[in-house]
Amino acid sequence: QKEVEQDPGPLSVPEGAIVSLNCTYSNSAFQYFMWYRQYSRKGPELLMYTYSSGNKEDGRFTAQVDKSSKYISLFIRDSQPSDSATYLCAMYSSGNTPLVFGKGTRLSVIA
Amino acid sequence: DVKVTQSSRYLVKRTGEKVFLECVQDMDHENMFWYRQDPGLGLRLIYFSYDVKMKEKGDIPEGYSVSREKKERFSLILESASTNQTSMYLCASSFPGYGYTFGSGTRLTVV
């Protein structure tokens, strides 16, 4: 079983839709969770960073962590064509251990 | 804004050549990382470094080496390039326990 599982998509939605992106993980030691957005031919950029369980909101984006289910989500409200990108989840346990990335979900928002 | 600069966006090299990929960051980050990204395989960690002259193997170090003589610079070396090393190479840096900042990537083609 891979440490982090993420549906690769592609996911195609109409403009204005609510998008839900998800990852599951197997290592119960993970405590720090991130979402990165990667546009075509660019490096990933950090979108959201959460610690332990709970929700975090930033504008149209909400990150949710459920440690009991080992499940994290990223919600995008009022999606825009500019949100079209690949979204990668990432997580780590503690200290200075490297991030473990999901493979990414490709999202297209159609105008 | 922190910047991670990779010396080349596109590179074409011949099989057997020694290849140097350079990465420089300007925010005094302790940690630096080299990944390769391939369709369907996601981001895979090659090497990382938590300090000058220090290096740790990632998940796929075979065929690669690294050098970190100065805090701001982390070089990836392909000792004898092979066609299966054709890939997108991404450098990243961070403070311990913080999210990564990625460079724009180098698309390497080995012919």
Side-chain angles (χ1 to χ4, degrees):
Chain A
Q1 184 187 9
K2 295 196 189 308
E3 273 199 296
V4 179
E5 300 269 12
Q6 185 175 10
D7 188 332
L11 183 62
S12 187
V13 301
E15 183 176 358
I18 296 174
V19 176
S20 171
L21 304 167
N22 312 294
C23 288
T24 58
Y25 62 94
S26 57
N27 186 348
S28 57
F30 287 143
Q31 296 188 77
Y32 302 88
F33 304 91
M34 303 175 202
W35 286 93
Y36 286 80
R37 177 176 62 196
Q38 185 176 21
Y39 291 115
S40 183
R41 291 186 292 277
K42 300 275 191 183
E45 56 178 332
L46 182 63
L47 205 54
M48 300 286 279
Y49 188 153
T50 53
Y51 168 68
S52 195
S53 284
N55 291 1
K56 183 175 181 180
E57 192 173 315
D58 184 1
R60 297 184 294 111
F61 298 89
T62 299
Q64 213 169 68
V65 175
D66 181 350
K67 287 190 71 183
S68 62
S69 303
K70 298 193 187 72
Y71 188 87
I72 70 169
S73 301
L74 178 71
F75 297 96
I76 307 174
R77 288 184 300 282
D78 186 25
S79 56
Q80 303 294 310
S82 59
D83 295 328
S84 298
T86 296
Y87 290 80
L88 302 107
C89 62
M91 53 200 77
Y92 74 102
S93 53
S94 62
N96 222 358
T97 53
L99 283 175
V100 179
F101 283 88
K103 290 184 179 179
T105 300
R106 196 161 145 205
L107 171 68
S108 292
V109 181
I110 312 300
Chain B
D1 270 356
V2 64
K3 229 177 164 179
V4 177
T5 303
Q6 294 186 231
S7 52
S8 306
R9 290 300 306 275
Y10 300 95
L11 214 49
V12 179
K13 295 292 181 180
R14 295 200 178 278
T15 302
E17 273 194 80
K18 191 168 186 175
V19 180
F20 293 85
L21 302 182
E22 305 287 345
C23 175
V24 178
Q25 50 95 3
D26 65 359
M27 276 299 287
D28 206 34
H29 283 168
E30 282 91 349
N31 300 345
M32 296 190 76
F33 307 85
W34 274 107
Y35 289 86
R36 63 178 285 178
Q37 188 174 35
D38 301 286
L41 296 178
L43 284 165
R44 292 183 290 168
L45 182 62
I46 305 171
Y47 268 97
F48 58 101
S49 168
Y50 290 150
D51 202 351
V52 176
K53 296 193 187 295
M54 175 268 178
K55 60 186 178 186
E56 294 279 351
K57 291 180 180 179
D59 300 318
I60 51 163
E62 296 79 19
Y64 304 94
S65 62
V66 289
S67 171
R68 193 167 182 199
E69 296 295 318
K70 293 185 177 181
K71 191 175 186 180
E72 67 269 20
R73 187 180 295 269
F74 193 35
S75 303
L76 180 70
I77 303 149
L78 286 66
E79 297 291 342
S80 177
S82 64
T83 54
N84 63 12
Q85 292 179 310
T86 291
S87 185
M88 167 73 101
Y89 288 88
L90 287 158
C91 174
S93 71
S94 76
F95 288 120
Y98 284 74
Y100 295 179
T101 300
F102 282 86
S104 293
T106 295
R107 187 165 292 281
L108 172 68
T109 302
V110 181
V111 297

